[in-house]
Each structure stands twice: as structure tokens, then as C-alpha cells.
Amino acid sequence: MSTPEQDIDQGDELNPFSQMKKRLEKAAKLINVDSGIYKILAEPYQELAVSIPVKMDDGSLRVFTGYRVQHSIARGPAKGGIRYAPEVNLDEVRALSAWMTWKCAVVNVPFGGGKGGIICDPRRMSQGEIERLTRRYTANLLDIIGPERDVPAPDMNTNAQTMAWFMDTYSMHTRATCTAAVTGKPIGLGGSLGRNEATGLGVAITARESLKHQNLPNKGCKVVIQGSGNVGGLAAKFLHEMGHKVIAISDMYGGIHNPDGLEVPAVLKWLKEKGKLEGFPNTESLDNAQLLALDCDVLVPAATENQITSTNAEDIRAKVIVEGANGPTSDEADQILEKNNVFVAPDILANAGGVTVSYFEWVQNRMGYFWEKKDVLNRMERILVDSFNDVVESAKRYNTSPRIGAYCLAVERVAYSHKMRGMYA
Ligand code: NAD
């Protein structure tokens, strides 16, 4: 029988699925997971690759490639977003899917992990083309999705409208309106109040708890944020409201910096109107590499994977990193950050506010009864604060980093489900 170590493909530092496996291996060793169960956890439960023919506006036919990966359904239906981007690839979707399994287990919501993606550039497509792409992709997935099987949500370049089309296509096939088939829907169509801000607010709450844990002040800290979308933009808003000084923020074109602090509401208004941050008054521009190396208390990577690696981890001057994005830091970078005493609140904890409120959305859809926004956000905050404490406690128990502590907690919970369910046939 092979051991966890023997099963690991060391892969390369920029392969997210190899990175996921490295963390899983470390946690599995610490908690002494049965080697058979480890093998189940190291690979996806099910994956589907589909060709998606779409009639384009000019009358031509294009065929896109899409994926849906279900890493685990041990604790409940697979749960996870759908990403539309030119860089989507199967190993990225596998990693994102596994991270969803661990994230749902860290916050203890009854879901497994899944993720989907389509290789496309939505910025070069019309709304009609994106709608036809979404509907055909949904039809391709019909055999494996549904409220009890796999519940998608938005991710990069998908939104509430995409989820409405997805839900409608699913419902046309099942001949009944099934709002619980996806989360992140428009509020008027079964969406949950608070879902839009949940991830960004969760990141801000995790930053607050991390600062407290590190005996740093709860106001006036210097904050740097990479990415200004749903996660980064809203994390900036909430950290600003908490009284911290957001000194720099970026988008895919670069960043803006003012050491005295940015007027975040004005920055977000500018971004909405102009489509990019560049040119915001009284700021100097800097590239994403310079932004990550700024002297600050809190760094929030909230853009994409592989931003902090062995090539730039030594440059990081933040005291605390709160991972808004999935997979922004490599395992190699973790070793350097740990040596330099940087506290890292890992992605599978820090950005779990989104899936927590997605869980509430799914519950509300199945009950047919909707909660007030304050109830949604208060319940999310309680879960995140408890989970933060659980992760810190787990890291202490196993004498490891918060990231591996979070993996230990999650892997223990998923392994428990496998053990208690037993092996079918
Ligand atoms: P988004 O599309 O709304 O925003 C992404 C932001 O990152 C934009 O500002 C974009 O300009 C910037 N960006 C993209 N590529 C970049 C690059 N190479 N360098 C620098 N900046 C870049 O996406 P989002 O929903 O905010 O998601 C951001 C990250 O958070 C992703 O990793 C996503 O998987 C993760 N996440 C999102 C949610 C959610 O609820 N939206 C939940 C959990 C995790």
C-alpha cells in the first residue's frame, strides 16, 4: 500500500492542483489519515469536459471547451463557482474544486466541493453570445448538477445574470422552477440578501480577527489590496469603514498608491465609471509586483492564483496576509513567509464568507422563506469568527501554520464522513 508521500506528483510551483496536493499531504501526515482515504481525497470524485457549440452574432459557429469537476460529495452536494476566462484549464478547475471541499469543511457547511470553467474571453463576447454559451454549458452538465448533486455559483467573469440563465435552463429541463439549483442569483429571483458583499465582508472580518490574534491595532492599520472586483473592492470598502488606511489597490492594469490612505468610496466610484483605477487623482501608479512589496500591516491578495511565490515572497513586508483570492500563495512561498513571521489567514478560511452565504441562499430556497440581511450577515460573521478560532486552535494542536491547521481541520471532517459512510460495494 502506498503512503501519502509516494502518491504526490511534486509538479511545478505554478500548478494549483500540485499546490493543493502538497498542502493536503502535509495535513494528512499530521493527522495520520488512513492511506486509502488519502487516495480518495487526493483526486476528484468526478470530472466532465464538454464541447460547447455556440452560434456567434456574425452567424459563425464556435466550439468552446468547458469543465465541471466535483472533487468531493462526501459531506453533501458539490458546491462551487463557474469561471469564464481564457486561462481556464483542467488542473486549475481541479484545484479550485478541491479548495471548495476544504473551505466548506472549514466553515462546516454541508457541502462537498466542485468548480467549473469555460475557456473563453467574455470581454470579447456580446451578452447574447455569453447567454447562449451559458445555456448550452448548463444543458451539457444536466446529468451531474442539481440542488442535491452539485450547486454552481459565480466566480471570475460570471455574475448574478449568468446564474439566472443557468437556473432558467436547468428549470426548463426539469419542468419546474428550481431556484436551489444555483446560488449567487439576482435578489428578485431567489438570491440571498448579503450574498454580494459576503466574501469581501468575510475577508474584512478575517483581517480583524487576524490583527487581534497578532496583537495589532484594530484601527489605523496600513492595508494593501490586490484586485478590486467583488472580493477586493468590497474588502477595501469594509476595511476602510473599520477605520483602517487602505494605501494601495490594483486591478489587472496596475495599481494606485497614496501613503496617506485612499478615499475608498471615491476610488470605487471612479472604477465603476472609468472601468480602471489608473488616473485616480492624488495617487502614484505602480505595477502589481510593486504593490505586493509595499510596506503595510495587512496585504489582501484578491485577484487570482500564483501571486506570491518563491520569486517574490522575500519582498513581502506585510505583517498579516488575508487571502481573498483562491490559491494566491504557493507552498514554497509559505515557507519563506513563515520564516519571516508573516501571519497568513489562508484562502479556505478567509474567503469562505461567500460560500457560507451561498449555503444560506440554498437553505432559503429550499424553505421558500427569506431572511433579513442583518440575520444573514450576523450568522455569517458568527461562523467565520468560530472558524477562525477553530483554525488557530488546530494550528496550535498540530504545531503548524494556520494554513496547514485549516487543512487538518477540513481533512479530518471529510475523512470522518468517508469513514462513517463506509465504502459502497
Ligand atoms: P472579479 O472578476 O470580480 O475581480 C477580479 C479582480 O482582480 C479585478 O479587479 C481584476 O482586474 C483583477 N485581476 C484579474 N487578474 C489579475 C492579475 N493577473 N493581476 C492583478 N489583478 C488581476 O473576481 P472576484 O469575484 O473578486 O474573485 C477574485 C478572487 O477571489 C478569485 O480568486 C476568486 O476565485 C476568489 N473568490 C471569489 C469569491 C466571490 O464570492 N466572488 C468567493 C471566494 C473566492
Side-chain angles (χ1 to χ4, degrees), residues 149-275:
R149 291 180 170 171
D150 182 353
V151 186
D155 190 71
M156 281 169 82
N157 301 323
T158 54
N159 54 32
Q161 175 63 79
T162 326
M163 292 304 111
W165 291 327
F166 198 105
M167 191 280 281
D168 180 68
T169 308
Y170 182 84
S171 298
M172 287 298 108
H173 281 267
T174 56
R175 300 286 190 263
T177 297
C178 182
T179 54
V182 288
T183 60
K185 296 178 294 295
I187 299 296
L189 202 63
S192 175
L193 294 169
R195 175 63 187 88
N196 184 48
E197 55 269 63
T199 311
L201 178 59
V203 166
I205 290 168
T206 308
R208 182 191 73 199
E209 297 304 304
S210 304
L211 288 167
K212 202 192 303 173
H213 180 264
Q214 294 299 97
N215 293 318
L216 289 164
N218 62 4
K219 274 190 175 47
C221 289
K222 285 189 283 179
V223 177
V224 169
I225 301 188
Q226 185 196 36
S228 46
N230 178 265
V231 182
L234 285 160
K237 171 183 168 330
F238 290 115
L239 285 162
H240 179 78
E241 284 173 10
M242 285 176 181
H244 297 296
K245 208 157 72 170
V246 178
I247 60 165
I249 187 164
S250 66
D251 58 25
M252 64 198 306
Y253 309 105
I256 54 170
H257 176 217
N258 181 340
D260 297 327
L262 298 163
E263 186 46 35
V264 173
V267 170
L268 296 178
K269 186 163 173 272
W270 171 280
L271 177 63
K272 202 168 172 193
E273 285 166 8
K274 313 263 181 199

